[in-house]
Amino acid sequence: MIKKKKSFMVVFFIVGIILAIFISTSAVREAYRSRTIEKEVESLKQEAQRIQNENNAMTERIAYFETPQFQEKIAKEKLNLQKIDENVVVVKYGTDQKNDAINLPVEESMDQQEVSNYQKWWNIFFAY
């Protein structure tokens, strides 16, 4: 009877160790899975914050595009439109010097080399 009791205790002890190993491996596996899920949740939160920031930036850009100032700017730059009370000055690049000399009075064309740049501009805009 003592041998049966002893063999029962040994079997009970071995089963207990196996059960403890099984429970501890399951606990470690669940802890690892939990940590992985937490990391994924954190990365998704960061991604959501980045997308929210981009969304806010897009909303601000859309609001700016809908302003009258932006629409006026685009109308002037792309469509070459102007307001009714607005004067437009056209500056041509690469014009011939012969054409400029014909339009200027004789005394100005001779002294043009001696006149400073700001005086030339003054004459272009305010001398008739």
Side-chain angles (χ1 to χ4, degrees):
M1 183 145 159
I2 292 185
K3 283 190 171 190
K4 277 189 168 185
K5 216 175 190 186
K6 227 180 188 185
S7 65
F8 177 73
M9 287 181 74
V10 170
V11 170
F12 184 73
F13 182 72
I14 292 174
V15 170
I17 289 175
I18 292 173
L19 188 61
I21 291 172
F22 177 74
I23 290 173
S24 63
T25 56
S26 295
V28 168
R29 195 176 309 137
E30 285 300 314
Y32 176 75
R33 184 172 162 262
S34 175
R35 177 178 272 182
T36 305
I37 290 172
E38 286 176 6
K39 285 182 181 178
E40 186 175 345
V41 166
E42 186 62 34
S43 68
L44 290 175
K45 283 181 182 179
Q46 290 174 352
E47 180 73 14
Q49 183 63 36
R50 185 187 62 79
I51 290 172
Q52 184 65 33
N53 292 342
E54 287 179 7
N55 191 14
N56 291 340
M58 291 283 194
T59 303
E60 289 175 6
R61 288 185 74 194
I62 290 171
Y64 171 68
F65 292 154
E66 292 175 348
T67 61
Q69 293 86 3
F70 176 77
Q71 292 171 358
E72 180 180 334
K73 176 183 172 187
I74 293 299
K76 287 180 180 180
E77 289 177 0
K78 307 265 179 181
L79 302 176
N80 294 324
L81 297 177
Q82 67 183 20
K83 289 183 177 179
I84 294 172
D85 60 342
E86 188 174 52
N87 294 327
V88 177
V89 176
V90 177
V91 179
K92 294 182 181 179
Y93 296 102
T95 59
D96 287 344
Q97 292 179 353
K98 293 177 184 177
N99 292 341
D100 289 343
I102 293 171
N103 293 337
L104 296 175
V106 176
E107 59 196 44
E108 282 189 24
S109 64
M110 296 176 109
D111 294 334
Q112 188 174 16
Q113 295 172 353
E114 298 173 8
V115 177
S116 65
N117 196 25
Y118 74 90
Q119 289 175 336
K120 290 177 189 176
W121 281 105
W122 182 267
N123 290 338
I124 288 173
F125 287 112
F126 298 111
Y128 290 98

